[in-house]
Each structure stands twice: as structure tokens, then as C-alpha cells.
Amino acid sequence: MRRILLAAAAALFGLAPAARAEFPERPVTMIMPYAPGAADALMRAIGEHFQRATGQPLVLQTRDGASGVVGMRVVAGAAADGYTLGHTPVTAIAVQPHLLRNAGIGPASFEGVCGTNENVITIAVRADSPMRDLPGLVAEARRRALSFGSPGPNSLPQLAVWQVQRATGIELNHIPYRGEPPHINDTLAGRLDFSAAIVSSAAELVMAGRMRLLAVFSANRHPDFPDVPTAREQGIDAQLFSQVGIYAPRGTPAPVLDRLESACRDALQDATVLRVLANSRSPVRFVPRQALTEWVRGEYENYGRILRELGVQPE
């Protein structure tokens, strides 16, 4: 009886615990773990939709370095409350932990929120390059030393080229950069023979007639560049799929993840968001959160096997 009376008194005088506010009740930070590029434009568009849908802004914060590991460490170490997220290709979560002895992250560090789009990987050359397809690049590499740039050490574009080397026996000189624009600019300037990149980073230059795509490494041709065959269509066994997704720290409550997943699904149906993806030549590919989490775990195992076959040792 005494407990009942105390509870009634607490309620009467406003001392009862306040009802938990519905997520989100303050701005959400989205960590961008690579140098600014097409992904930022996508997240800004998604952020506009997010604010309209939830009343809270999505604040972008760039924390690049180590092929995405620096930024995703920030996400993994944040409070598991849904207010710190990361938007990244699978590289930082499924590839880099095999390559860095103290990466500090892996699939077990995160909860998937949703898949957003596919980063189709390509090889791009200057428009006046004598190399016109992937077999032509291989033939040229057997005549002379070729150098190429990628957006970072052990990035998926670099791994795609490693697969070409493994399939054909050629040797190529890899020069890692910090993000896409610097190595693409050096390819345009003639300081590199080609760039291993994602299609969205080179698309504008291709459309302007300044660059040419030799191949894509997806299972299918890029819908905006249907004349560019896949590597396998050109007789070279090299294929990599790069799903881009949003991730939360491990342990984030399911209701919060459900809210974020729903906002992501709706955003990827928004006309402005779809226009940004179309302009960047990045195919939309929504993946539900549970499927994304399971897929990343599988990719972690797959890349472990690939890297062991390539003889790559952690540093």
C-alpha cells in the first residue's frame, strides 16, 4: 500500500519518469569515411528527405583515411543509440580488417541500416589512349610498364585490378591516392596510364569525351554505359560487387534501426534522391538491414579467401 501511495504522489507532483521520446529527437551525424565526392551529394539529398520525414537534420562529417577505416572506427566507437551512422562501400568493413593488423573494426562492429546503391567499378583511360578494351590493356602491359591509380590502398578498385593481374599474369604498378579525384586528374594529365575507379567518379569526363571506360567489374553492364562490356565478357575472370550502405554501431536497438531503415527505404524512392543517383551514374540498390548485415559477414569471409589467394599479408 505504501508503494502504491508513493507512486500516486509521484504522478500527482510530476515526479514520474518522463515517457521516452521517439527517435530521433536531435540531429543525426552521418560519418563519411572517404574524401568528398559523389557520396556526399547522395547523402545531402537523403538528408533533406530525412529532415522532412523526421524533423531532424542529418549532419555530414568527413573522417577519411585508411580506405574508410578511420571514419568507420568513429562509428563503431560511438554510442549505440542511432545518432552516429556511417555511409560506406563494403571495403572498410569486409576488406580492410584482413589487411590491417589493428584495424579495430569488422562485421561484428556494426548493424546494417540499409543498402543504398552500387558502386560499379571500372577501368578508365584518357580518350586518346591506345588501349580500347581490357585485352588491349593486358597486351600493352606485356609490352611496357603501366602505372595506375586507385582511391586508396587495398580499395575495391585496386582489388579489381589485382584480379586482372592474377587472371592474366601481368604486372602493373599501383599508386594509391586519397580519394578518386586526384588519381583521375593524374590519368587525364598523362602521369598515369589508367585509373581504377568507380563509374560515378569518371562518368562526367566520359560523357564529355575526355575519358573512356575499358570494362566494368559488375556482373552486368552499367545501365548508363551499355556499350562497355564486363571483364568476364572480355574473357578475363575478374568480378567485384561493391554495395554501398549505411551502418550503425553494434547494439543499436532494433526499433531505432527499423526507423532508420524505413527512412532510408522512403528516401530511395524520393525523386530528388533518384535524380542525384542518376546524375552520378550510380545504380540505386536498396537492401534491407538484416540482409545487409548478413551479406557483409559473407563478404568478409569471401575477401579473406581472395586475399589469401593473392598472397596479401596484413600490415
Side-chain angles (χ1 to χ4, degrees), residues 85-105:
L85 308 173
H87 182 243
T88 183
V90 72
T91 315
I93 301 173
V95 179
Q96 289 298 101
H98 294 293
L99 300 168
L100 300 177
R101 294 187 187 278
N102 299 305
I105 57 171

Side-chain angles (χ1 to χ4, degrees), residues 37-43 46 87 89 115-121 198-204 222-225 241-245 268 273-286:
D40 294 73
L42 172 60
M43 274 299 109
I46 288 178
H87 182 243
T116 56
N117 59 290
E118 180 184 357
N119 273 350
V120 180
I121 300 168
I198 58 174
V199 169
S200 61
S201 297
E204 291 298 320
H222 194 290
D224 294 320
F225 300 98
F241 174 68
S242 180
Q243 174 72 50
V244 185
L268 291 174
V273 173
L274 292 175
R275 187 163 53 249
V276 168
L277 284 168
N279 289 342
S280 67
R281 316 292 174 176
S282 183
V284 61
R285 194 173 190 277
F286 172 77

